[in-house]
Amino acid sequence: MNILVINCGSSSAKFQLFDIDTGKVLAKGNAERIGIGNSKLTYKPDGGEAVVIEQDMPDHKVAVKMILDALVNAEYGVIASVDEITAVGHRVLHAGKYYSESVIVNDDVKRVIRECFPLGPLHNPANLIGIEACESVLPAGTPQVAVFDTAFHQTMPPKAFMYALPYEYYEKYDIRRYGFHGTSHRYVSKRTAEFLGKDPKDLKIITCHLGNGSSFAAVDGGKCVDTSMGLTPLAGICMGTRTGDIDPAIVPFIMQKEGLTPEEMDTLLNKKSGVMGISGVSSDFRDLAKAAGEGNERAQLALDMFAYQGKKIIGSFAAAMGGVDVIVFTAGIGENTDTMRAAMTDDLEFLGVKVDPELNMGLRGKEAVISTADSKVTVCVIPTNEELAIAQETEALVR
Ligand code: ADP
């Protein structure tokens, strides 16, 4: 069974076509600059050379049509006809309070995605456009599945998801913690249990998704009970360019001092802060490590802050669950950076966490346990694969 996975942004559409029975990616690529001129489609078939097709893509419908044409192309295509695509799985940012699982798209689902536009103003409209583009271009009746970034976190209890604002703002505007990276936290926590040969029901897991955006989830018995991101992905640990948690009073303070509009303040918090803002060097952790190694103190400070804030979240989630059995690292930094994994778990022996420096050192991008044999808490690395997770959830729904 072939499943097409699509992740639509406002001017882009990333895709992967999976043969879900083998888990193999048949082809993948990205349509860029949709609707803004100079658009191009980069397409790479499995085992073949990448092809770049420069052609005007005024809207997402044209982009999806070009992706499908590439997939069936006589020279570099990987399927004979679009009928061989059984279903499409769409990454959708926000389902608000409405869905805790992936769903097959119908009019009601589209209404919910639309209703959540204010909660995900940059992503949800693009995600819906992607769904509608696929509906109009693929054979009628091809199921479209929405896989939401927020869904996995919907099992959080109110004491974890409410903010201590006047209650009316929850009622009027649905302001609460939602959490993101849910597809990754769900996939990684499930895969961790499989990898360790345990039943998820018997495990208290803290999943640490450390990438450009970073978030943590407390997963007790297979269900998310707390997470570090909030109403938006700005909350929690400091990130590449996002502040993470700060004293909210800082926001009006800077706005008044600098005479900033809400939009300008939003940009400052999301795009100019985080480890980039602290270091003045880069948002990329490889650049930071290099600069810190060369003696740049602010780059070192940014790395220290990231490790320290992550450690505090791990400690608080262990307290929230009344213990922790497994800490799992994933995404770009979690999978590849031994020094950050070590720094974030350093001094946690009181919690029963002992990382083995030899198992940790140099480990990149593969499933492994990195804690010592006598560590009460198992620490491991499990690479995330959000596209495969979306394909699997899509398959499960349409089978
Ligand atoms: P995104 O949130 O954009 O998917 P990723 O999960 O790819 O981000 O993570 C990006 C971060 O991971 C960057 O800060 C980068 O430095 C780090 N990273 C990615 N790959 C590696 C690697 N091979 N070695 C060290 N760090 C890496």
Side-chain angles (χ1 to χ4, degrees), residues 6 35 72-73 81 101 130 163 199 212-213 227 244 268 285 292-293 313 356:
I6 293 211
V72 301
N73 183 281
S81 135
E101 298 286 344
Y163 292 121
D199 187 330
N212 233 331
T227 191
L268 187 152
F285 279 68
I313 295 171
D356 183 329

Side-chain angles (χ1 to χ4, degrees), residues 4 12 29 41 50 96 161 171 197 215 221 245 270 329 347 363 379 391 396:
L4 181 62
S12 69
L41 170 69
F161 72 65
E171 293 174 314
S215 68
D245 290 346
N270 275 290
F329 288 99
D347 289 335
L363 182 83
V379 184

Side-chain angles (χ1 to χ4, degrees), residues 181 209-213 283-286 331-333 336-337 364:
H181 292 141
H209 177 112
L210 310 180
N212 233 331
S283 63
D284 190 299
F285 279 68
R286 285 167 289 198
I333 301 161
N336 293 298
T337 313
R364 277 173 189 277

Side-chain angles (χ1 to χ4, degrees), residues 70-368:
L71 289 170
V72 301
N73 183 281
E75 192 187 328
Y76 47 75
V78 289
I79 49 176
S81 135
V82 291
D83 293 335
E84 292 175 32
I85 298 173
T86 308
V88 186
H90 296 265
R91 182 178 191 170
V92 183
L93 182 79
H94 227 300
K97 61 191 174 196
Y98 298 104
Y99 296 117
S100 58
E101 298 286 344
S102 303
V103 285
I104 295 185
V105 174
N106 58 23
D107 286 344
D108 213 39
V109 173
K110 286 198 250 180
R111 185 184 53 75
V112 165
I113 296 174
R114 211 171 284 120
E115 214 161 280
C116 294
F117 279 3
L119 296 171
L122 297 180
H123 295 87
N124 268 39
N127 301 150
L128 185 60
I129 287 170
I131 291 171
E132 290 180 336
C134 286
E135 282 174 341
S136 67
V137 174
L138 277 160
T142 309
Q144 311 288 323
V145 170
V147 179
F148 300 101
D149 256 28
T150 52
F152 182 57
H153 304 300
Q154 276 296 302
T155 46
M156 286 187 289
K159 67 182 177 188
F161 72 65
M162 286 301 289
Y163 292 121
L165 289 162
Y167 198 80
E168 66 191 90
Y169 296 109
Y170 171 61
E171 293 174 314
K172 273 207 287 198
Y173 305 124
D174 291 324
I175 291 179
R176 47 159 283 183
R177 181 189 304 283
Y178 290 99
F180 298 89
H181 292 141
T183 309
S184 177
H185 289 293
R186 190 198 298 268
Y187 172 84
V188 169
S189 56
K190 209 167 140 224
R191 180 68 205 136
T192 299
E194 274 168 19
F195 177 66
L196 298 174
K198 300 260 171 71
D199 187 330
K201 290 206 166 49
D202 300 329
L203 292 177
K204 296 179 193 298
I205 304 179
I206 299 175
T207 46
C208 315
H209 177 112
L210 310 180
N212 233 331
S214 298
S215 68
F216 295 70
V219 184
D220 193 349
K223 290 203 157 57
C224 176
V225 294
D226 208 342
T227 191
S228 58
M229 283 181 168
L231 172 74
T232 74
L234 185 56
I237 189 170
C238 59
M239 308 173 211
T241 59
R242 297 185 194 134
T243 55
D245 290 346
I246 57 169
D247 180 344
I250 294 169
V251 175
F253 185 94
I254 293 183
M255 286 176 75
Q256 280 163 9
K257 288 277 181 203
E258 300 274 321
L260 300 184
T261 64
E263 290 73 26
E264 288 166 340
M265 191 62 208
D266 195 61
T267 304
L268 187 152
L269 296 167
N270 275 290
K271 303 250 162 70
K272 298 184 180 168
S273 300
V275 294
M276 171 71 218
I278 288 291
S279 68
V281 171
S282 172
S283 63
D284 190 299
F285 279 68
R286 285 167 289 198
D287 300 337
L288 292 177
K290 185 163 174 287
E294 291 162 1
N296 185 315
E297 287 179 11
R298 272 169 51 189
Q300 186 60 53
L301 173 63
L303 292 171
D304 291 346
M305 285 172 67
F306 188 77
Y308 179 66
Q309 293 185 6
K311 186 189 294 192
K312 288 207 296 187
I313 295 171
I314 290 172
S316 69
F317 282 2
M321 292 192 287
V324 53
D325 301 306
V326 187
I327 297 170
V328 52
F329 288 99
T330 195
I333 301 161
E335 290 166 26
N336 293 298
T337 313
D338 47 9
T339 46
M340 188 50 72
R341 292 189 298 253
M344 217 174 257
T345 49
D346 188 27
D347 289 335
L348 288 184
E349 258 189 61
F350 79 96
L351 255 188
V353 178
K354 273 208 268 180
V355 166
D356 183 329
E358 284 191 13
L359 293 178
N360 182 38
M361 199 162 18
L363 182 83
R364 277 173 189 277
K366 62 172 197 240
E367 297 183 340

